[in-house]
Amino acid sequence: MGNSVQTLSDKVSLIASPRTWVEGLAIEQLQKTAELPGMVRVVGMPDLHPGRGYPVGAAFLSIERFYPALVGNDIGCGMALWQCDLPLAKAKPDKLARRLGAVEGPLDESWHSLVAERKAALGISEHGYDGALGTIGGGNHFAEFQAVERLYQKDLLDPKQLLLLVHSGSRGLGQAVLQQHLAAFGHQGLIANTEEASLYLARHNQALRWAELNRELIARRFIDAIGSSGHCLLDVNHNLVSETSDGWLHRKGATPSTQGLVVIPGSRGDHSYLVRPTQSELGLHSLAHGAGRKWQRGDCKSRLSHKYRREDLLRTAFGSQVICNDKTLLFDEAPQAYKPCHTVIEALLDAGLVELVARLKPVLTFKTQGECC
């Protein structure tokens, strides 16, 4: 283990190498959250950045109570990686883009039987939010076709085939679950094993399953749109709370390291990495969930608009294409607004938390056509 684990207090540690840039406000939020009643341990990941009161990119362990407000509104937000059957030689960005004209609105009737079948299999109840199933949403959510640039461990991916990475969550359902909690309890935690705690957890778990189904349907409709087929390699949630033998583990933008392979994405102009977790207790059985923001949303356009035109941000240094017709979102999610992903990966490697499996590069990143964000 190198020098990538910093002990900030008896409760708080930060996984960050000297090359990892972490904003001071994020560390302040990390330490403040550690003061919540019942909180026993907090670990910040190298993608740590400030959130709305609570930092993003961290895992939090509490006893006797847990905190729905810490999980936030996008319950079940996570990543799914799919292997497509389309050869890379046929996956030209412009050609792919032309086929994605109808992947953003509500699913049409041809999908309804599959939705009903999958909801039954996952035990998802009726919540009134199914109109958003199969849609990405706004913010940092995306669907990105990718290519394997380098394999560190063979026989796990076919480097000649296209990949699809989907990042989305529970949409309006997760928001409704949080709002119900906040209306009744504010930012107070819930005492474990009470009726109120059980009710929230039931809703929370429904949102997790819904988010997983949402990513599956997004992947299926994107792969269908390009005339291919495919299968899911992994799907992990990174906004959730779960009961463990040690207490209640909250992950706010932190990927579980206990479910097999994990993909840690960079920005749309950077590499993503497929890694194998070591399941080290050092990181509260969690990993970074991405590169992590460097700039706050809302600051990006003023920082970039004098240097870049809209058209400049629709292509990347990789030659990949970006579909994003929301100008504000185009700037807010620009690669410059994020940390270099390799610095996040270096910190995780140095701490002994992961092994590299593959480095991936973007081919086409889909954000929104500007209508259904």
Side-chain angles (χ1 to χ4, degrees), residues 82-126:
W82 285 61
Q83 177 81 72
C84 307
D85 293 336
L86 185 69
L88 282 173
K90 296 183 178 180
K92 306 303 182 185
D94 290 342
K95 185 176 180 180
L96 294 174
R98 287 195 295 270
R99 296 188 172 188
L100 299 178
V103 294
E104 212 169 0
L107 293 167
D108 63 32
E109 291 185 1
S110 67
W111 292 89
H112 290 180
S113 61
L114 175 62
V115 170
E117 175 186 326
R118 298 296 294 127
K119 285 180 64 179
L122 293 169
I124 298 174
S125 304
E126 295 298 327

mmCIF file of all heavy atoms in Angstrom, residues 82-126:
data_model
loop_
_atom_site.group_PDB
_atom_site.id
_atom_site.type_symbol
_atom_site.label_atom_id
_atom_site.label_comp_id
_atom_site.label_asym_id
_atom_site.label_seq_id
_atom_site.Cartn_x
_atom_site.Cartn_y
_atom_site.Cartn_z
ATOM 1 N N TRP A 82 -22.714 -3.378 -20.874
ATOM 2 C CA TRP A 82 -23.220 -4.413 -21.764
ATOM 3 C C TRP A 82 -22.234 -4.682 -22.888
ATOM 4 O O TRP A 82 -21.608 -3.748 -23.410
ATOM 5 C CB TRP A 82 -24.564 -3.981 -22.369
ATOM 6 C CG TRP A 82 -25.713 -4.080 -21.412
ATOM 7 C CD1 TRP A 82 -25.862 -3.419 -20.223
ATOM 8 C CD2 TRP A 82 -26.881 -4.885 -21.569
ATOM 9 N NE1 TRP A 82 -27.048 -3.760 -19.626
ATOM 10 C CE2 TRP A 82 -27.703 -4.655 -20.430
ATOM 11 C CE3 TRP A 82 -27.326 -5.751 -22.560
ATOM 12 C CZ2 TRP A 82 -28.933 -5.286 -20.265
ATOM 13 C CZ3 TRP A 82 -28.560 -6.379 -22.398
ATOM 14 C CH2 TRP A 82 -29.343 -6.155 -21.259
ATOM 15 N N GLN A 83 -22.097 -5.942 -23.238
ATOM 16 C CA GLN A 83 -21.315 -6.347 -24.407
ATOM 17 C C GLN A 83 -22.250 -6.440 -25.601
ATOM 18 O O GLN A 83 -23.221 -7.198 -25.587
ATOM 19 C CB GLN A 83 -20.660 -7.703 -24.159
ATOM 20 C CG GLN A 83 -19.870 -8.253 -25.337
ATOM 21 C CD GLN A 83 -18.485 -7.648 -25.447
ATOM 22 O OE1 GLN A 83 -17.617 -7.939 -24.659
ATOM 23 N NE2 GLN A 83 -18.297 -6.769 -26.448
ATOM 24 N N CYS A 84 -21.986 -5.642 -26.621
ATOM 25 C CA CYS A 84 -22.786 -5.697 -27.847
ATOM 26 C C CYS A 84 -22.188 -6.711 -28.816
ATOM 27 O O CYS A 84 -21.007 -7.034 -28.749
ATOM 28 C CB CYS A 84 -22.827 -4.327 -28.520
ATOM 29 S SG CYS A 84 -23.362 -2.972 -27.459
ATOM 30 N N ASP A 85 -23.008 -7.182 -29.728
ATOM 31 C CA ASP A 85 -22.543 -8.125 -30.745
ATOM 32 C C ASP A 85 -22.059 -7.420 -32.007
ATOM 33 O O ASP A 85 -21.695 -8.086 -32.978
ATOM 34 C CB ASP A 85 -23.669 -9.103 -31.103
ATOM 35 C CG ASP A 85 -24.016 -10.024 -29.945
ATOM 36 O OD1 ASP A 85 -23.144 -10.226 -29.081
ATOM 37 O OD2 ASP A 85 -25.156 -10.526 -29.905
ATOM 38 N N LEU A 86 -22.058 -6.091 -31.993
ATOM 39 C CA LEU A 86 -21.649 -5.334 -33.171
ATOM 40 C C LEU A 86 -20.125 -5.191 -33.212
ATOM 41 O O LEU A 86 -19.518 -4.702 -32.248
ATOM 42 C CB LEU A 86 -22.283 -3.949 -33.147
ATOM 43 C CG LEU A 86 -22.035 -3.074 -34.384
ATOM 44 C CD1 LEU A 86 -22.767 -3.650 -35.591
ATOM 45 C CD2 LEU A 86 -22.481 -1.639 -34.121
ATOM 46 N N PRO A 87 -19.469 -5.607 -34.292
ATOM 47 C CA PRO A 87 -18.015 -5.438 -34.401
ATOM 48 C C PRO A 87 -17.637 -3.957 -34.414
ATOM 49 O O PRO A 87 -18.348 -3.121 -34.995
ATOM 50 C CB PRO A 87 -17.672 -6.096 -35.740
ATOM 51 C CG PRO A 87 -18.813 -7.027 -36.014
ATOM 52 C CD PRO A 87 -20.018 -6.351 -35.431
ATOM 53 N N LEU A 88 -16.508 -3.640 -33.803
ATOM 54 C CA LEU A 88 -16.056 -2.251 -33.759
ATOM 55 C C LEU A 88 -15.847 -1.681 -35.149
ATOM 56 O O LEU A 88 -16.030 -0.479 -35.374
ATOM 57 C CB LEU A 88 -14.756 -2.153 -32.959
ATOM 58 C CG LEU A 88 -14.881 -2.191 -31.437
ATOM 59 C CD1 LEU A 88 -13.502 -2.255 -30.798
ATOM 60 C CD2 LEU A 88 -15.649 -0.982 -30.927
ATOM 61 N N ALA A 89 -15.456 -2.535 -36.080
ATOM 62 C CA ALA A 89 -15.211 -2.061 -37.444
ATOM 63 C C ALA A 89 -16.462 -1.464 -38.081
ATOM 64 O O ALA A 89 -16.369 -0.646 -39.002
ATOM 65 C CB ALA A 89 -14.692 -3.219 -38.299
ATOM 66 N N LYS A 90 -17.635 -1.849 -37.569
ATOM 67 C CA LYS A 90 -18.894 -1.326 -38.099
ATOM 68 C C LYS A 90 -19.494 -0.235 -37.201
ATOM 69 O O LYS A 90 -20.569 0.285 -37.506
ATOM 70 C CB LYS A 90 -19.904 -2.460 -38.253
ATOM 71 C CG LYS A 90 -19.492 -3.526 -39.265
ATOM 72 C CD LYS A 90 -20.579 -4.587 -39.403
ATOM 73 C CE LYS A 90 -20.196 -5.627 -40.448
ATOM 74 N NZ LYS A 90 -21.242 -6.672 -40.602
ATOM 75 N N ALA A 91 -18.809 0.094 -36.137
ATOM 76 C CA ALA A 91 -19.355 1.036 -35.151
ATOM 77 C C ALA A 91 -18.784 2.432 -35.360
ATOM 78 O O ALA A 91 -18.017 2.949 -34.543
ATOM 79 C CB ALA A 91 -19.053 0.540 -33.743
ATOM 80 N N LYS A 92 -19.147 3.052 -36.454
ATOM 81 C CA LYS A 92 -18.702 4.413 -36.739
ATOM 82 C C LYS A 92 -19.616 5.401 -36.012
ATOM 83 O O LYS A 92 -20.841 5.272 -36.062
ATOM 84 C CB LYS A 92 -18.727 4.685 -38.236
ATOM 85 C CG LYS A 92 -17.932 3.672 -39.056
ATOM 86 C CD LYS A 92 -16.480 3.589 -38.622
ATOM 87 C CE LYS A 92 -15.696 2.599 -39.485
ATOM 88 N NZ LYS A 92 -14.305 2.424 -38.997
ATOM 89 N N PRO A 93 -19.033 6.399 -35.322
ATOM 90 C CA PRO A 93 -19.854 7.332 -34.525
ATOM 91 C C PRO A 93 -20.998 7.975 -35.294
ATOM 92 O O PRO A 93 -22.130 8.030 -34.806
ATOM 93 C CB PRO A 93 -18.837 8.374 -34.050
ATOM 94 C CG PRO A 93 -17.538 7.640 -34.009
ATOM 95 C CD PRO A 93 -17.592 6.675 -35.156
ATOM 96 N N ASP A 94 -20.732 8.452 -36.497
ATOM 97 C CA ASP A 94 -21.787 9.123 -37.272
ATOM 98 C C ASP A 94 -22.922 8.161 -37.616
ATOM 99 O O ASP A 94 -24.104 8.521 -37.554
ATOM 100 C CB ASP A 94 -21.207 9.707 -38.559
ATOM 101 C CG ASP A 94 -20.295 10.898 -38.297
ATOM 102 O OD1 ASP A 94 -20.385 11.472 -37.196
ATOM 103 O OD2 ASP A 94 -19.507 11.240 -39.183
ATOM 104 N N LYS A 95 -22.562 6.935 -37.954
ATOM 105 C CA LYS A 95 -23.568 5.934 -38.299
ATOM 106 C C LYS A 95 -24.401 5.567 -37.080
ATOM 107 O O LYS A 95 -25.637 5.450 -37.154
ATOM 108 C CB LYS A 95 -22.887 4.694 -38.875
ATOM 109 C CG LYS A 95 -23.850 3.644 -39.373
ATOM 110 C CD LYS A 95 -23.090 2.481 -40.011
ATOM 111 C CE LYS A 95 -24.054 1.411 -40.526
ATOM 112 N NZ LYS A 95 -23.329 0.275 -41.144
ATOM 113 N N LEU A 96 -23.738 5.396 -35.919
ATOM 114 C CA LEU A 96 -24.465 5.099 -34.692
ATOM 115 C C LEU A 96 -25.422 6.230 -34.341
ATOM 116 O O LEU A 96 -26.570 6.004 -33.958
ATOM 117 C CB LEU A 96 -23.482 4.875 -33.535
ATOM 118 C CG LEU A 96 -22.569 3.646 -33.607
ATOM 119 C CD1 LEU A 96 -21.571 3.676 -32.458
ATOM 120 C CD2 LEU A 96 -23.378 2.357 -33.576
ATOM 121 N N ALA A 97 -24.939 7.466 -34.481
ATOM 122 C CA ALA A 97 -25.747 8.631 -34.115
ATOM 123 C C ALA A 97 -27.028 8.703 -34.936
ATOM 124 O O ALA A 97 -28.089 9.068 -34.411
ATOM 125 C CB ALA A 97 -24.929 9.907 -34.286
ATOM 126 N N ARG A 98 -26.938 8.371 -36.200
ATOM 127 C CA ARG A 98 -28.118 8.452 -37.063
ATOM 128 C C ARG A 98 -29.196 7.457 -36.661
ATOM 129 O O ARG A 98 -30.365 7.650 -37.003
ATOM 130 C CB ARG A 98 -27.707 8.216 -38.522
ATOM 131 C CG ARG A 98 -26.962 9.377 -39.142
ATOM 132 C CD ARG A 98 -26.899 9.253 -40.653
ATOM 133 N NE ARG A 98 -26.132 8.097 -41.086
ATOM 134 C CZ ARG A 98 -24.824 8.109 -41.331
ATOM 135 N NH1 ARG A 98 -24.123 9.227 -41.154
ATOM 136 N NH2 ARG A 98 -24.210 7.018 -41.752
ATOM 137 N N ARG A 99 -28.834 6.421 -35.945
ATOM 138 C CA ARG A 99 -29.794 5.394 -35.551
ATOM 139 C C ARG A 99 -30.436 5.652 -34.185
ATOM 140 O O ARG A 99 -31.274 4.863 -33.741
ATOM 141 C CB ARG A 99 -29.106 4.027 -35.545
ATOM 142 C CG ARG A 99 -28.616 3.586 -36.912
ATOM 143 C CD ARG A 99 -28.129 2.164 -36.887
ATOM 144 N NE ARG A 99 -27.833 1.669 -38.222
ATOM 145 C CZ ARG A 99 -27.543 0.396 -38.491
ATOM 146 N NH1 ARG A 99 -27.515 -0.498 -37.511
ATOM 147 N NH2 ARG A 99 -27.275 0.020 -39.729
ATOM 148 N N LEU A 100 -30.036 6.732 -33.532
ATOM 149 C CA LEU A 100 -30.508 6.963 -32.167
ATOM 150 C C LEU A 100 -31.563 8.051 -32.090
ATOM 151 O O LEU A 100 -31.662 8.778 -31.104
ATOM 152 C CB LEU A 100 -29.310 7.321 -31.261
ATOM 153 C CG LEU A 100 -28.229 6.252 -31.142
ATOM 154 C CD1 LEU A 100 -27.092 6.743 -30.257
ATOM 155 C CD2 LEU A 100 -28.812 4.952 -30.573
ATOM 156 N N GLY A 101 -32.383 8.148 -33.100
ATOM 157 C CA GLY A 101 -33.364 9.220 -33.137
ATOM 158 C C GLY A 101 -34.561 9.026 -32.234
ATOM 159 O O GLY A 101 -35.276 9.979 -31.933
ATOM 160 N N ALA A 102 -34.818 7.803 -31.769
ATOM 161 C CA ALA A 102 -36.038 7.553 -30.991
ATOM 162 C C ALA A 102 -35.741 6.784 -29.709
ATOM 163 O O ALA A 102 -36.465 5.874 -29.337
ATOM 164 C CB ALA A 102 -37.032 6.777 -31.845
ATOM 165 N N VAL A 103 -34.668 7.176 -29.028
ATOM 166 C CA VAL A 103 -34.280 6.431 -27.813
ATOM 167 C C VAL A 103 -34.548 7.215 -26.533
ATOM 168 O O VAL A 103 -34.139 6.791 -25.456
ATOM 169 C CB VAL A 103 -32.786 6.046 -27.860
ATOM 170 C CG1 VAL A 103 -32.506 5.061 -28.966
ATOM 171 C CG2 VAL A 103 -31.904 7.289 -27.989
ATOM 172 N N GLU A 104 -35.258 8.326 -26.649
ATOM 173 C CA GLU A 104 -35.377 9.198 -25.484
ATOM 174 C C GLU A 104 -36.782 9.328 -24.923
ATOM 175 O O GLU A 104 -36.949 9.610 -23.736
ATOM 176 C CB GLU A 104 -34.830 10.595 -25.832
ATOM 177 C CG GLU A 104 -34.216 11.280 -24.642
ATOM 178 C CD GLU A 104 -33.444 12.527 -25.019
ATOM 179 O OE1 GLU A 104 -33.371 12.880 -26.218
ATOM 180 O OE2 GLU A 104 -32.920 13.154 -24.102
ATOM 181 N N GLY A 105 -37.785 9.134 -25.723
ATOM 182 C CA GLY A 105 -39.149 9.260 -25.231
ATOM 183 C C GLY A 105 -39.590 8.015 -24.480
ATOM 184 O O GLY A 105 -38.832 7.048 -24.316
ATOM 185 N N PRO A 106 -40.822 8.012 -23.986
ATOM 186 C CA PRO A 106 -41.349 6.825 -23.301
ATOM 187 C C PRO A 106 -41.333 5.614 -24.219
ATOM 188 O O PRO A 106 -41.474 5.731 -25.444
ATOM 189 C CB PRO A 106 -42.787 7.239 -22.945
ATOM 190 C CG PRO A 106 -42.763 8.735 -22.918
ATOM 191 C CD PRO A 106 -41.773 9.142 -23.969
ATOM 192 N N LEU A 107 -41.179 4.450 -23.639
ATOM 193 C CA LEU A 107 -41.196 3.210 -24.409
ATOM 194 C C LEU A 107 -42.566 3.012 -25.053
ATOM 195 O O LEU A 107 -43.596 3.238 -24.408
ATOM 196 C CB LEU A 107 -40.872 2.028 -23.507
ATOM 197 C CG LEU A 107 -39.448 1.985 -22.943
ATOM 198 C CD1 LEU A 107 -39.359 0.949 -21.830
ATOM 199 C CD2 LEU A 107 -38.435 1.686 -24.039
ATOM 200 N N ASP A 108 -42.581 2.574 -26.303
ATOM 201 C CA ASP A 108 -43.858 2.359 -26.968
ATOM 202 C C ASP A 108 -44.433 0.991 -26.607
ATOM 203 O O ASP A 108 -43.838 0.224 -25.833
ATOM 204 C CB ASP A 108 -43.722 2.534 -28.486
ATOM 205 C CG ASP A 108 -42.773 1.512 -29.114
ATOM 206 O OD1 ASP A 108 -42.688 0.368 -28.618
ATOM 207 O OD2 ASP A 108 -42.114 1.860 -30.115
ATOM 208 N N GLU A 109 -45.583 0.674 -27.183
ATOM 209 C CA GLU A 109 -46.310 -0.542 -26.801
ATOM 210 C C GLU A 109 -45.531 -1.823 -27.053
ATOM 211 O O GLU A 109 -45.777 -2.836 -26.396
ATOM 212 C CB GLU A 109 -47.646 -0.594 -27.550
ATOM 213 C CG GLU A 109 -48.647 0.466 -27.099
ATOM 214 C CD GLU A 109 -49.989 0.308 -27.779
ATOM 215 O OE1 GLU A 109 -50.138 -0.648 -28.592
ATOM 216 O OE2 GLU A 109 -50.895 1.121 -27.505
ATOM 217 N N SER A 110 -44.608 -1.792 -27.978
ATOM 218 C CA SER A 110 -43.851 -3.004 -28.289
ATOM 219 C C SER A 110 -42.987 -3.461 -27.112
ATOM 220 O O SER A 110 -42.546 -4.612 -27.071
ATOM 221 C CB SER A 110 -42.966 -2.772 -29.518
ATOM 222 O OG SER A 110 -41.942 -1.816 -29.241
ATOM 223 N N TRP A 111 -42.755 -2.556 -26.139
ATOM 224 C CA TRP A 111 -41.938 -2.883 -24.971
ATOM 225 C C TRP A 111 -42.775 -3.298 -23.765
ATOM 226 O O TRP A 111 -42.236 -3.778 -22.763
ATOM 227 C CB TRP A 111 -41.093 -1.674 -24.571
ATOM 228 C CG TRP A 111 -40.034 -1.315 -25.560
ATOM 229 C CD1 TRP A 111 -40.155 -0.474 -26.624
ATOM 230 C CD2 TRP A 111 -38.685 -1.788 -25.584
ATOM 231 N NE1 TRP A 111 -38.981 -0.386 -27.311
ATOM 232 C CE2 TRP A 111 -38.055 -1.182 -26.695
ATOM 233 C CE3 TRP A 111 -37.957 -2.649 -24.773
ATOM 234 C CZ2 TRP A 111 -36.715 -1.413 -27.014
ATOM 235 C CZ3 TRP A 111 -36.619 -2.884 -25.087
ATOM 236 C CH2 TRP A 111 -36.019 -2.282 -26.194
ATOM 237 N N HIS A 112 -44.079 -3.099 -23.809
ATOM 238 C CA HIS A 112 -44.900 -3.229 -22.611
ATOM 239 C C HIS A 112 -44.897 -4.640 -22.034
ATOM 240 O O HIS A 112 -44.882 -4.823 -20.808
ATOM 241 C CB HIS A 112 -46.331 -2.763 -22.901
ATOM 242 C CG HIS A 112 -46.429 -1.285 -23.111
ATOM 243 N ND1 HIS A 112 -47.613 -0.637 -23.387
ATOM 244 C CD2 HIS A 112 -45.476 -0.311 -23.086
ATOM 245 C CE1 HIS A 112 -47.387 0.657 -23.529
ATOM 246 N NE2 HIS A 112 -46.100 0.877 -23.354
ATOM 247 N N SER A 113 -44.918 -5.655 -22.878
ATOM 248 C CA SER A 113 -44.939 -7.020 -22.350
ATOM 249 C C SER A 113 -43.622 -7.345 -21.651
ATOM 250 O O SER A 113 -43.607 -8.009 -20.595
ATOM 251 C CB SER A 113 -45.216 -8.029 -23.465
ATOM 252 O OG SER A 113 -44.217 -7.977 -24.465
ATOM 253 N N LEU A 114 -42.503 -6.884 -22.205
ATOM 254 C CA LEU A 114 -41.205 -7.107 -21.551
ATOM 255 C C LEU A 114 -41.139 -6.369 -20.225
ATOM 256 O O LEU A 114 -40.653 -6.917 -19.221
ATOM 257 C CB LEU A 114 -40.068 -6.648 -22.464
ATOM 258 C CG LEU A 114 -38.663 -6.725 -21.857
ATOM 259 C CD1 LEU A 114 -38.289 -8.160 -21.509
ATOM 260 C CD2 LEU A 114 -37.625 -6.109 -22.811
ATOM 261 N N VAL A 115 -41.636 -5.131 -20.203
ATOM 262 C CA VAL A 115 -41.637 -4.363 -18.953
ATOM 263 C C VAL A 115 -42.441 -5.098 -17.877
ATOM 264 O O VAL A 115 -41.990 -5.243 -16.738
ATOM 265 C CB VAL A 115 -42.209 -2.949 -19.188
ATOM 266 C CG1 VAL A 115 -42.432 -2.232 -17.856
ATOM 267 C CG2 VAL A 115 -41.265 -2.137 -20.071
ATOM 268 N N ALA A 116 -43.628 -5.569 -18.233
ATOM 269 C CA ALA A 116 -44.466 -6.283 -17.267
ATOM 270 C C ALA A 116 -43.779 -7.551 -16.781
ATOM 271 O O ALA A 116 -43.804 -7.870 -15.576
ATOM 272 C CB ALA A 116 -45.813 -6.626 -17.900
ATOM 273 N N GLU A 117 -43.147 -8.273 -17.690
ATOM 274 C CA GLU A 117 -42.450 -9.515 -17.332
ATOM 275 C C GLU A 117 -41.290 -9.239 -16.380
ATOM 276 O O GLU A 117 -41.122 -9.931 -15.373
ATOM 277 C CB GLU A 117 -41.931 -10.179 -18.606
ATOM 278 C CG GLU A 117 -41.091 -11.417 -18.377
ATOM 279 C CD GLU A 117 -40.497 -11.936 -19.669
ATOM 280 O OE1 GLU A 117 -41.158 -11.817 -20.727
ATOM 281 O OE2 GLU A 117 -39.370 -12.449 -19.628
ATOM 282 N N ARG A 118 -40.495 -8.221 -16.694
ATOM 283 C CA ARG A 118 -39.321 -7.915 -15.859
ATOM 284 C C ARG A 118 -39.743 -7.330 -14.516
ATOM 285 O O ARG A 118 -39.117 -7.604 -13.490
ATOM 286 C CB ARG A 118 -38.399 -6.951 -16.602
ATOM 287 C CG ARG A 118 -37.818 -7.486 -17.901
ATOM 288 C CD ARG A 118 -36.910 -8.696 -17.651
ATOM 289 N NE ARG A 118 -35.727 -8.291 -16.906
ATOM 290 C CZ ARG A 118 -35.326 -8.875 -15.786
ATOM 291 N NH1 ARG A 118 -36.015 -9.883 -15.259
ATOM 292 N NH2 ARG A 118 -34.246 -8.451 -15.165
ATOM 293 N N LYS A 119 -40.791 -6.515 -14.483
ATOM 294 C CA LYS A 119 -41.271 -5.986 -13.201
ATOM 295 C C LYS A 119 -41.736 -7.114 -12.289
ATOM 296 O O LYS A 119 -41.450 -7.111 -11.080
ATOM 297 C CB LYS A 119 -42.418 -4.989 -13.427
ATOM 298 C CG LYS A 119 -41.966 -3.633 -13.955
ATOM 299 C CD LYS A 119 -43.142 -2.696 -14.147
ATOM 300 C CE LYS A 119 -43.826 -2.375 -12.837
ATOM 301 N NZ LYS A 119 -44.949 -1.444 -13.002
ATOM 302 N N ALA A 120 -42.429 -8.085 -12.850
ATOM 303 C CA ALA A 120 -42.896 -9.221 -12.058
ATOM 304 C C ALA A 120 -41.708 -10.020 -11.530
ATOM 305 O O ALA A 120 -41.687 -10.439 -10.362
ATOM 306 C CB ALA A 120 -43.804 -10.106 -12.899
ATOM 307 N N ALA A 121 -40.701 -10.230 -12.379
ATOM 308 C CA ALA A 121 -39.535 -11.001 -11.963
ATOM 309 C C ALA A 121 -38.756 -10.301 -10.858
ATOM 310 O O ALA A 121 -38.195 -10.953 -9.968
ATOM 311 C CB ALA A 121 -38.620 -11.251 -13.167
ATOM 312 N N LEU A 122 -38.724 -8.970 -10.890
ATOM 313 C CA LEU A 122 -37.975 -8.198 -9.898
ATOM 314 C C LEU A 122 -38.822 -7.821 -8.684
ATOM 315 O O LEU A 122 -38.302 -7.232 -7.729
ATOM 316 C CB LEU A 122 -37.409 -6.928 -10.550
ATOM 317 C CG LEU A 122 -36.328 -7.152 -11.617
ATOM 318 C CD1 LEU A 122 -36.053 -5.846 -12.363
ATOM 319 C CD2 LEU A 122 -35.044 -7.670 -10.981
ATOM 320 N N GLY A 123 -40.106 -8.121 -8.724
ATOM 321 C CA GLY A 123 -40.978 -7.779 -7.602
ATOM 322 C C GLY A 123 -41.243 -6.297 -7.470
ATOM 323 O O GLY A 123 -41.373 -5.787 -6.349
ATOM 324 N N ILE A 124 -41.338 -5.597 -8.600
ATOM 325 C CA ILE A 124 -41.561 -4.153 -8.586
ATOM 326 C C ILE A 124 -43.058 -3.869 -8.607
ATOM 327 O O ILE A 124 -43.776 -4.320 -9.499
ATOM 328 C CB ILE A 124 -40.884 -3.487 -9.798
ATOM 329 C CG1 ILE A 124 -39.370 -3.706 -9.736
ATOM 330 C CG2 ILE A 124 -41.207 -1.995 -9.845
ATOM 331 C CD1 ILE A 124 -38.636 -3.208 -10.961
ATOM 332 N N SER A 125 -43.529 -3.108 -7.643
ATOM 333 C CA SER A 125 -44.944 -2.748 -7.550
ATOM 334 C C SER A 125 -45.260 -1.571 -8.473
ATOM 335 O O SER A 125 -44.366 -0.931 -9.031
ATOM 336 C CB SER A 125 -45.300 -2.374 -6.106
ATOM 337 O OG SER A 125 -44.971 -3.416 -5.216
ATOM 338 N N GLU A 126 -46.554 -1.270 -8.607
ATOM 339 C CA GLU A 126 -46.975 -0.113 -9.399
ATOM 340 C C GLU A 126 -46.748 1.163 -8.592
ATOM 341 O O GLU A 126 -47.173 1.260 -7.442
ATOM 342 C CB GLU A 126 -48.445 -0.240 -9.776
ATOM 343 C CG GLU A 126 -48.742 -1.410 -10.711
ATOM 344 C CD GLU A 126 -48.019 -1.282 -12.043
ATOM 345 O OE1 GLU A 126 -47.831 -0.139 -12.508
ATOM 346 O OE2 GLU A 126 -47.639 -2.331 -12.603
#
